[in-house]
Amino acid sequence: MAEFLFQGLHQGAWAVLLCGPVLVASVAATVFAVRRRALGPKGRAAEVPDQLFWDLFLGSCVALPALIIPAMVSPWSGLVMAGAAVAAGIAAHHATPRYLAWHAGRREHRRQLSAHQAATARHDELLLRWRRYELDPASMIDYPALTDVRLPETSALIKAMRTADQLRTAAHATYPDAVGSLAATLAAAERAAERAAGIPSRQPADQAG
């Protein structure tokens, strides 16, 4: 009798070790899939019941054999597997919103980083364009208004440059908008300087944005 009991425990332990990871993974994955769809966008609500059915069906096809086989080998192993399945489902249910929030944060961070890099490149181009009026003697003579802060357009340009520089250092989320504002004010200041110097405007329309 003792030998039979020991053999049953031994077989049950092996069944738990072999089927336990499969059961836990399948239950956790199924709960995660169902929870993710429930927390996802509501625009495709008509497809949710069908998707929910297939999530549960596929999860059950893996989880039920992994639960039934150990239970047939040993009753206590079936209880252990059932407890593990319930724990995995509860853990996945609570962890899914946190994971989705973390994933969304990572995606938003990558988007902001890409936008910041593009804005930095454009910012550098605008600064090079502006320095031409400060460092090139011919441009200083042709466009003196661009260094005259008494003009509203030039004053607005200097303020936009200061704002963009500050936000670039802090890597602020509004930095791309500040660079766009700098481009617009630089274009406006160039047009005002050309009018003041009596020079026909040569600036392409797309540089105004």
Side-chain angles (χ1 to χ4, degrees):
M1 184 66 181
E3 183 180 354
F4 179 77
L5 180 60
F6 176 77
Q7 185 179 3
L9 292 174
H10 185 265
Q11 293 176 348
W14 274 109
V16 170
L17 290 176
L18 292 176
C19 297
V22 177
L23 177 62
V24 169
S26 62
V27 170
T30 302
V31 173
F32 172 79
V34 172
R35 189 93 162 109
R36 182 182 61 179
R37 295 193 192 281
L39 298 174
K42 306 299 182 182
R44 304 174 67 180
E47 300 180 8
V48 170
D50 186 59
Q51 294 172 342
L52 178 61
F53 168 78
W54 285 110
D55 288 337
L56 294 175
F57 176 76
L58 295 176
S60 299
C61 288
V62 179
L64 288 179
L67 176 62
I68 294 174
I69 292 173
M72 294 176 62
V73 173
S74 173
W76 73 264
S77 62
L79 293 176
V80 171
M81 295 289 285
V86 172
I90 294 174
H93 183 273
H94 290 294
T96 299
R98 292 194 295 269
Y99 171 80
L100 295 178
W102 172 81
H103 190 267
R106 286 286 301 273
R107 185 168 57 248
E108 178 63 18
H109 174 72
R110 289 194 296 268
R111 187 197 65 79
Q112 290 184 0
L113 180 61
S114 177
H116 187 275
Q117 291 173 345
T120 299
R122 190 182 187 195
H123 191 182
D124 291 338
E125 294 175 357
L126 294 172
L127 291 179
L128 288 175
R129 184 166 135 199
W130 159 251
R131 290 188 182 117
R132 178 167 61 91
Y133 300 108
E134 284 190 314
L135 303 179
D136 182 18
S139 297
M140 295 175 62
I141 294 174
D142 291 338
Y143 303 97
L146 275 168
T147 56
D148 188 357
V149 295
R150 294 173 298 179
L151 296 178
E153 294 84 359
T154 305
S155 177
L157 170 62
I158 299 302
K159 292 179 181 178
M161 291 177 62
R162 186 181 302 114
T163 300
D165 288 338
Q166 292 173 348
L167 295 178
R168 175 175 181 167
T169 303
H172 200 273
T174 59
Y175 172 61
D177 294 335
V179 174
S181 177
L182 172 59
T185 54
L186 176 57
E190 288 174 332
R191 290 194 298 269
E194 289 171 349
R195 289 195 301 268
I199 301 175
S201 178
R202 298 169 298 168
Q203 178 163 324
D206 59 352
Q207 289 187 6

